[in-house]
């Protein structure tokens, strides 16, 4: 079969890597892909949200399945467009993906369907939002309604911070259209985990629980990023907790979406806070997490293509998936300055040293090739993943591998996985 992976990050490299192992897959294409994916298939210069370009390419190359990675493509309606031309797509339609691209929609659904989450209110008027914040007090969480690259949730520890956040979002419009509406919600105390369910809209199966590290600095401090590292399985989610999340959150969400005529197919990402009152939803995302995909997919023993086909055809029958009896840790190597401003175009070397290492992977994110030389091309550059028999060993192996990778102005957190020990 021919498969087209849409996207260009570490997540999409991990997806392409897992698909390439399938005996069902003959050719892998990626739009637009990255130099890492290029070693597995062919990258084509089509933007991940270019509906016309993607549909035309899928038809021309007889693509059997389009695997959509990024949230922006789902919001743009790539799945709808691909399915409209009679080609299978992995991922929710635009209407179903609203669970991610509108935080207000997701919160309203949770309220109506009794899915546990923090109390909240939605505002389009800045003075009403200010009054609400003053009434509730700090700490408090302010979220832009739309997509913001993982940077749209602001945890405000003081009233002053919260009022500033409202000014930035609603008056200065620093988040553009995504911030034309805000969700203000109570701060939840606890530890956060990422739980993924593969679903065909009715049947579902959970993936290994993982934890990512969203903050830029060690000790989970500083501004949020797209994710600075991850590990799986996360011991904080034992079987009993996973069963509770499944009953109280996953099942009612999939049913709730179906009830609303928005059949949800693909991967449902539940960002869960483990609070003293049990698990509560922080947010839903409509795609694989990044970097979580970079630790989960290398541990998966099932054929990803087979699973993706059954999800897209509405025939998911797996009751449980098979996993390697190992732990995976991914350390994201970024450009100094990210998530603020940073320099690009730095030469990357040392990846060749990782090739002979068993169960060590360098997933490319923002890399590019210039005159045959691999260079940095953005904020998050590479995800270095290592598998080992336990968490401590996988952390040590990942950091050992990171030592080989050289580029100027590199930055990475040194405590990835430590919270799981
Ligand atoms: N790791 C966070 C995200 O993918 O949204």
């Amino acid at each position: 079969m021919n498969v087209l992976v849409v996207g260009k990050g570490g997540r999409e490299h991990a997806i392409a890597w897992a698909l390439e192992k399938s005996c069902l897959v003959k050719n892998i294409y990626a739009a637009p892909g990255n130099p890492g994916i290029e070693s597995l298939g062919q990258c084509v210069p089509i933007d991940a949200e270019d509906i016309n370009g993607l549909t035309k390419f899928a038809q021309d190359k007889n693509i059997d399945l389009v695997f959509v990675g990024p949230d922006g493509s789902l919001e743009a309606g790539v799945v709808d467009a691909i399915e409209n031309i009679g080609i299978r797509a992995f991922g929710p339609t635009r209407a179903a993906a609203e669970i991610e691209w509108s935080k207000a929609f997701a919160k309203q659904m949770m309220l109506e369907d009794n899915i546990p989450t923090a109390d909240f209110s939605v505002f389009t008027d800045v003075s009403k939002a200010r009054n609400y914040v003053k009434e509730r007090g700090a700490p408090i969480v302010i979220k832009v309604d739309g997509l913001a690259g993982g940077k749209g949730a602001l945890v405000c520890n003081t009233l002053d911070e919260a009022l500033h956040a409202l000014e930035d979002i609603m008056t200065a419009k620093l988040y553009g259209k995504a911030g034309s509406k805000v969700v203000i919600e109570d701060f939840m105390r606890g530890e956060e985990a990422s739980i993924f369910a593969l679903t065909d809209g009715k049947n579902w199966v959970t993936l290994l629980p993982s934890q990512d590290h969203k903050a830029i600095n060690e000790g989970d401090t500083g501004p949020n990023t797209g994710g600075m590292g991850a590990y799986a399985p996360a011991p904080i989610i034992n079987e009993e907790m996973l069963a509770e999340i499944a009953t109280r959150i996953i099942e009612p969400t999939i049913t709730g979406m179906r009830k609303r005529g928005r059949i949800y197919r693909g991967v449902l990402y539940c960002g869960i806070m483990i609070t003293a009152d049990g698990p509560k939803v922080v947010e839903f995302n409509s795609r694989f997490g990044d970097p979580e995909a970079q630790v989960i997919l290398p541990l998966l023993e099932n054929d990803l293509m087979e699973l993706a086909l059954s999800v897209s055809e509405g025939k998911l029958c797996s009751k449980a998936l098979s996993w390697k009896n190992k732990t995976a840790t991914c350390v994201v190597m970024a450009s100094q300055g990210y998530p603020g401003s940073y320099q690009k175009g730095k030469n990357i070397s040392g990846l060749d040293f990782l090739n002979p290492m068993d169960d060590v992977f360098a997933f490319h994110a923002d890399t590019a090739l210039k005159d045959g030389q691999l260079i940095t091309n953005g904020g998050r550059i590479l995800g270095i993943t290592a598998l080992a028999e336990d968490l401590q060993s996988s952390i040590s192996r990942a950091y050992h591998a990171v030592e080989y990778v050289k580029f100027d102005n590199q930055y990475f957190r040194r405590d990835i996985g430590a919270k799981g020990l």
Side-chain angles (χ1 to χ4, degrees):
M1 288 182 151
N2 299 324
V3 56
L4 170 63
V5 177
V6 176
K8 60 175 185 165
R11 168 183 49 216
E12 286 76 25
H13 189 179
I15 290 169
W17 173 85
L19 290 171
E20 201 263 343
K21 288 191 303 162
S22 168
C23 57
L24 298 171
V25 172
K26 187 163 167 228
N27 295 305
I28 295 195
Y29 300 94
N34 65 38
I37 303 177
E38 189 79 51
S39 65
L40 302 165
Q42 189 191 333
C43 295
V44 288
I46 302 173
D47 188 84
E49 295 173 21
D50 174 358
I51 305 255
N52 290 338
L54 293 169
T55 46
K56 183 169 184 321
F57 183 83
Q59 276 171 324
D60 289 351
K61 292 287 180 188
N62 290 322
I63 298 293
D64 296 288
L65 176 85
V66 177
F67 200 119
V68 184
D71 43 12
S73 308
L74 297 166
E75 183 186 16
V78 169
V79 168
D80 311 56
I82 294 292
E83 287 181 343
N84 278 344
I85 54 167
I87 295 176
R88 298 179 197 88
F90 178 90
T93 58
R94 176 178 152 79
E98 190 168 2
I99 202 165
E100 173 166 11
W101 59 258
S102 171
K103 303 290 171 232
F105 169 82
K107 292 293 279 193
Q108 187 58 32
M109 186 185 96
M110 286 186 261
L111 181 70
E112 288 167 11
D113 291 11
N114 214 12
I115 296 166
T117 189
D119 286 347
F120 73 102
S121 217
V122 178
F123 296 92
T124 48
D125 179 290
V126 69
S127 60
K128 288 190 182 145
R130 276 194 215 109
N131 289 341
Y132 182 78
V133 159
K134 285 180 194 157
E135 191 187 300
R136 301 298 282 194
I140 196 156
V141 181
I142 300 181
K143 291 179 176 170
V144 304
D145 180 51
L147 299 179
K151 294 160 215 151
L154 305 167
V155 178
C156 305
N157 290 310
T158 64
L159 195 54
D160 216 35
E161 266 178 51
L163 294 172
H164 267 106
L166 288 177
E167 289 314 309
D168 284 350
I169 299 168
M170 302 182 86
T171 311
K173 305 205 184 304
L174 295 189
Y175 295 79
K177 222 168 66 178
S180 55
K181 209 185 262 177
V182 294
V183 173
I184 305 182
E185 61 180 39
D186 290 355
F187 175 77
M188 290 189 280
R189 223 167 279 284
E191 209 168 317
E192 205 175 326
S194 306
I195 310 295
F196 299 88
L198 276 184
T199 177
D200 62 4
K202 190 165 191 292
N203 307 299
W204 51 268
V205 62
T206 51
L207 307 186
L208 280 184
S210 60
Q211 278 193 295
D212 75 345
H213 298 65
K214 289 200 174 75
I216 185 71
N217 296 326
E218 276 137 37
D220 289 333
T221 56
N224 270 351
T225 68
M228 293 304 295
Y231 67 98
I236 187 168
I237 307 293
N238 56 25
E239 269 182 42
E240 204 185 335
M241 178 61 72
L242 190 58
E244 188 177 349
I245 293 168
T247 315
R248 296 182 63 200
I249 296 170
I250 296 173
E251 173 69 34
T253 302
I254 292 168
T255 307
M257 293 299 281
R258 202 171 60 240
K259 197 171 75 188
R260 287 170 177 79
R262 300 173 188 239
I263 295 173
Y264 190 100
R265 293 202 180 109
V267 63
L268 177 69
Y269 171 151
C270 312
I272 302 290
M273 189 69 82
I274 311 300
T275 73
D277 301 329
K280 295 188 181 182
V281 177
V282 178
E283 64 175 358
F284 286 120
N285 294 319
S286 54
R287 32 94 199 162
F288 272 109
D290 194 1
E292 291 96 321
Q294 299 178 54
V295 288
I296 291 174
L297 294 175
L299 292 169
L300 179 67
E301 285 188 329
N302 298 72
D303 182 322
L304 182 62
M305 184 67 176
E306 207 173 284
L307 288 171
L309 288 169
S310 60
V311 162
S312 69
E313 290 168 1
K315 292 181 190 157
L316 180 67
C317 15
S318 300
K319 292 280 175 263
L321 302 177
S322 303
W323 300 97
K324 288 186 184 151
N325 191 17
K326 291 191 173 181
T327 295
T329 299
C330 171
V331 177
V332 169
M333 302 189 74
S335 301
Q336 185 79 48
Y338 171 78
S341 55
Y342 47 77
Q343 293 175 354
K344 296 184 187 179
K346 307 293 178 195
N347 289 353
I348 302 172
S349 63
L351 292 183
D352 289 348
F353 291 110
L354 310 191
N355 290 339
M357 295 184 192
D358 273 345
D359 282 344
V360 171
F361 311 97
F363 291 119
H364 290 230
D366 267 321
T367 63
L369 277 173
K370 191 176 170 208
D371 303 328
Q373 168 65 49
L374 193 67
I375 57 168
T376 66
N377 194 36
R380 291 192 294 174
I381 306 301
L382 291 158
I384 307 296
T385 296
L387 272 52
E389 61 280 6
D390 57 37
L391 179 57
Q392 179 64 74
S393 319
S394 77
I395 294 171
S396 306
R397 292 198 80 212
Y399 279 106
H400 176 70
V402 160
E403 289 303 311
Y404 287 95
V405 183
K406 309 282 180 211
F407 57 91
D408 284 350
N409 295 356
Q410 65 173 232
Y411 172 80
F412 56 89
R413 276 179 59 165
R414 291 175 190 274
D415 63 347
I416 301 302
K419 65 182 169 189
L421 291 174

